[in-house]
């Protein structure tokens, strides 16, 4: 592909990262987007309100497992690329029930690969040459790290949760469709994202909302587990670079160079809230921190070596953790309505994943 105006299918575009990606594509490029999303508990069209009137944006409520519908969409829309983000994405939910993770992440990716293969084989000339299938995956496929070291694209797969093993399975399928059929696929493996519009089941929005509600802030285990945080727009920018300039058959690791222990992240959020919305009683949000039973199989540390994407495609993150976390907290303070709308009747910030 290249930067000139193209037709892109984004799967999972009503989710956290997919909606950031679509907002960026519509606001900053000439590409046309068709968003395919099943609208599970995690998918919300409210996240796309700012661009939904664009004549370069369309939406279809479709399950990626529905091969017939995917086939129809490929033949009607004639995409130049597919950016595949649709997935069950929450580790804790995968511990409580793995079936949906296998259905969507494994079978759904298989259905998309089969339909993409058939469609791609029907193309000719430049359109066939430049077609791309970008599979968006996670650093969790590599397992966990100790105190030292980084995940590179050569790190052996060692997934340890139902979620990460379903994503690893889908990565293997994608590589197999490249090697066996020549489908021009690429895979990205990214670290933990944060930013606006993240469903409030993941650490950062849970901490912000629990604190604002004056409830205990649940920190799993000792709080010493380490994640490598990346602002969601930096991830979206990396995905655009890869789909436009990446090499078929390649994998690109994407990470923030922002390793933090969970407890450091929680302290930063509490301290920022102390500044932005000081308690009338003078209390400190840190008083709400509560260490709770650990997540079963909790991976200790993730950290990404992102030197390949930097060297080959010139991508580096623009946001620091300090600036990104402030913007994120400010966004949640100003968008409590969005949080209430997306959790209504489906989630009350309760603890998940205790098995
Ligand atoms: P999310 O849970 O916020 O959004 C997932 C979206 O996929 C939702 O809109 C949902 O409705 C849709 N979806 C789920 N099942 C579907 C199906 N069967 N058919 C069609 N649509 C379906 O997830 P996210 O955090 O935005 O993650 C997006 C992708 O990026 C996932 O593939 C995830 O594995 C990967 N990823 C996430 C992170 C992270 O930190 N959030 C980091 C690295 C990689
Ligand atoms: O590394 C990339 C992955 O990051 C993505 O592939 C996943 O889709 C995404 O959900 C995320 O997985 P994590 O399990 O790392 O994210 P989560 O926000 O659930 O948890 C981050 C850390 O915080 C983890 O060590 C568990 C801990 N935690 C989480 C929650 C929800 C808590 O201590 N308390 C909590 O309430």
């Amino acid at each position: 592909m290249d930067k000139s105006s193209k037709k892109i299918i984004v799967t999972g575009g009503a989710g956290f990262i997919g909606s950031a990606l679509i907002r960026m594509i519509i606001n900053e490029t000439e590409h046309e987007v068709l968003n395919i999303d099943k609208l599970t508990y995690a998918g919300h069209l409210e996240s796309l309100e700012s661009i939904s009137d664009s004549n370069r944006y369309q939406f279809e409520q479709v399950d990626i497992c529905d091969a017939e519908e995917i086939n129809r969409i490929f033949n009607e829309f004639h995409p130049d690329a597919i950016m595949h983000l649709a997935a069950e994405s929450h580790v804790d939910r995968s511990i409580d029930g793995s079936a949906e993770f296998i259905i969507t992440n494994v079978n759904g990716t298989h259905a998309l690969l089969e339909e993409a293969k058939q469609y791609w084989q029907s193309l000719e000339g430049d359109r066939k040459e430049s077609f791309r299938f970008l599979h968006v995956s996670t650093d969790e496929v590599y397992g966990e790290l100790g105190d030292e070291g980084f995940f590179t694209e050569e790190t052996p797969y060692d997934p340890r949760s139902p979620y990460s093993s379903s994503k690893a399975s889908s990565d293997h399928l994608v590589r197999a469709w490249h090697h066996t059929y020549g489908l021009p696929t690429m895979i990205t493996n990214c670290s933990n994202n944060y930013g606006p519009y993240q469903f409030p089941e993941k650490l950062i929005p849970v901490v912000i909302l629990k604190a604002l509600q004056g409830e205990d802030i649940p920190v799993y285990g000792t709080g010493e587990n380490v994640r490598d945080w990346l602002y969601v727009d930096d991830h979206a920018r990396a995905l655009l670079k890869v789909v436009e300039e990446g090499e078929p058959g390649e994998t690109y690791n994407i990470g923030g160079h922002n390793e933090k222990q969970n407890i450091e992240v929680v302290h930063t959020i509490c301290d920022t809230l102390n500044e932005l919305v000081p308690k009338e009683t003078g209390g400190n949000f840190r008083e709400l921190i509560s260490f709770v039973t650990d997540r079963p199989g909790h991976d200790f540390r993730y950290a990404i070596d992102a030197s390949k994407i930097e060297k080959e495609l010139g991508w580096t993150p623009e946001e620091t953790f300090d600036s990104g976390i402030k913007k994120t907290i400010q966004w949640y303070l100003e968008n409590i309505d969005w949080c209430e709308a997306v959790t209504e009747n489906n989630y009350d910030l309760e603890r998940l994943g205790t098995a």
Side-chain angles (χ1 to χ4, degrees):
M1 228 182 80
D2 57 45
K3 289 184 189 203
S4 62
S5 170
K6 290 286 186 315
K7 299 181 83 167
I8 303 178
I9 289 178
V10 174
T11 72
F16 166 48
I17 302 170
S19 66
L21 174 66
I22 293 179
R23 292 191 301 273
M24 184 172 285
I25 295 177
I26 296 300
N27 290 328
E28 298 181 20
T29 78
E30 297 299 317
H31 303 314
E32 204 178 308
V33 175
L34 170 58
N35 174 13
I36 298 180
D37 200 296
K38 182 181 172 182
L39 299 183
T40 67
Y41 79 94
H44 297 277
L45 295 176
E46 289 92 331
S47 309
L48 290 159
E49 261 166 19
S50 67
I51 56 84
S52 59
D53 287 341
S54 166
N55 56 14
R56 289 184 290 116
Y57 171 74
Q58 294 173 55
F59 171 67
E60 293 250 18
Q61 183 170 4
V62 164
D63 185 332
I64 56 164
C65 301
D66 187 341
E68 229 169 84
E69 278 291 89
I70 299 294
N71 180 284
R72 173 186 66 75
I73 288 171
F74 269 110
N75 290 319
E76 284 176 12
F77 186 67
H78 294 291
D80 297 295
I82 173 156
M83 301 177 81
H84 173 35
L85 290 88
E88 287 295 332
S89 70
H90 192 34
V91 174
D92 287 336
R93 286 183 196 263
S94 82
I95 294 167
D96 290 333
S98 50
E100 282 304 316
F101 288 73
I102 306 304
I103 292 169
T104 286
N105 301 0
V106 184
N107 298 345
T109 301
H110 174 253
L112 272 183
L113 284 166
E114 274 296 278
E115 295 313 318
K117 179 189 78 178
Q118 245 186 54
Y119 166 77
W120 171 71
Q121 285 172 338
S122 75
L123 297 175
E124 287 176 359
D126 278 358
R127 288 210 74 195
K128 184 166 192 182
E129 185 67 25
S130 63
F131 182 79
R132 297 287 181 268
F133 184 115
L134 170 57
H135 176 63
V136 177
S137 191
T138 170
D139 60 357
E140 298 193 11
V141 299
Y142 299 124
E144 69 169 359
L145 293 163
D147 288 323
E148 303 281 315
F150 296 90
F151 295 134
T152 73
E153 288 79 359
E154 274 71 51
T155 302
Y157 274 37
D158 184 22
R160 295 148 47 95
S161 73
Y163 163 69
S164 57
S165 52
S166 71
K167 291 296 290 188
S169 308
S170 65
D171 293 11
H172 290 319
L173 290 172
V174 172
R175 281 199 185 91
W177 262 243
H178 175 70
H179 287 287
T180 306
Y181 305 109
L183 187 68
T185 62
M186 297 170 298
I187 299 177
T188 53
N189 295 91
C190 187
S191 61
N192 285 63
N193 283 218
Y194 70 102
Y197 299 100
Q198 185 168 35
F199 189 82
E201 62 189 352
K202 309 279 166 61
L203 177 69
I204 288 179
V206 163
V207 173
I208 298 170
L209 295 187
K210 285 282 191 189
L212 291 177
Q213 291 172 8
E215 290 175 14
D216 281 358
I217 297 171
V219 175
Y220 299 171
T222 60
E224 287 165 340
N225 301 61
V226 173
R227 296 292 181 265
D228 176 0
W229 293 96
L230 181 69
Y231 193 68
V232 65
D233 290 350
D234 277 325
H235 188 189
R237 197 167 289 110
L239 296 178
L240 259 176
K241 268 235 168 243
V242 173
V243 82
E244 289 175 345
E245 300 170 41
E247 274 296 313
E250 291 295 315
T251 293
Y252 300 91
N253 278 358
I254 303 172
H257 309 298
N258 273 313
E259 276 179 59
K260 306 266 174 219
Q261 288 190 335
N262 293 337
I263 192 66
E264 287 179 73
V265 171
V266 175
H267 283 159
T268 303
I269 296 171
C270 289
D271 296 348
T272 309
L273 288 174
N274 285 334
E275 275 171 38
L276 295 177
V277 281
K279 285 185 169 181
E280 279 167 22
T281 50
N284 187 316
F285 284 104
R286 286 195 190 203
E287 289 159 13
L288 295 172
I289 293 173
S290 164
F291 291 91
V292 297
T293 323
D294 210 351
R295 170 186 281 174
H298 197 174
D299 285 340
F300 176 63
R301 174 172 166 259
Y302 306 139
I304 283 278
D305 175 348
S307 53
K308 176 176 172 180
I309 189 171
E310 178 174 357
K311 235 182 280 150
E312 295 187 8
L313 304 182
W315 175 89
T316 49
E318 291 177 8
E319 201 74 51
T320 65
F321 188 72
D322 282 352
S323 60
I325 195 73
K326 279 209 183 83
K327 278 209 259 193
T328 303
I329 294 169
Q330 195 67 54
W331 185 88
Y332 278 94
L333 288 173
E334 288 163 8
N335 290 277
I336 292 295
D337 287 358
W338 178 88
C339 299
E340 284 170 0
V342 302
T343 51
E344 200 183 3
N345 304 323
N346 69 20
Y347 184 54
D348 197 21
L349 301 189
E350 67 271 19
R351 172 82 195 265
L352 300 170
T354 48

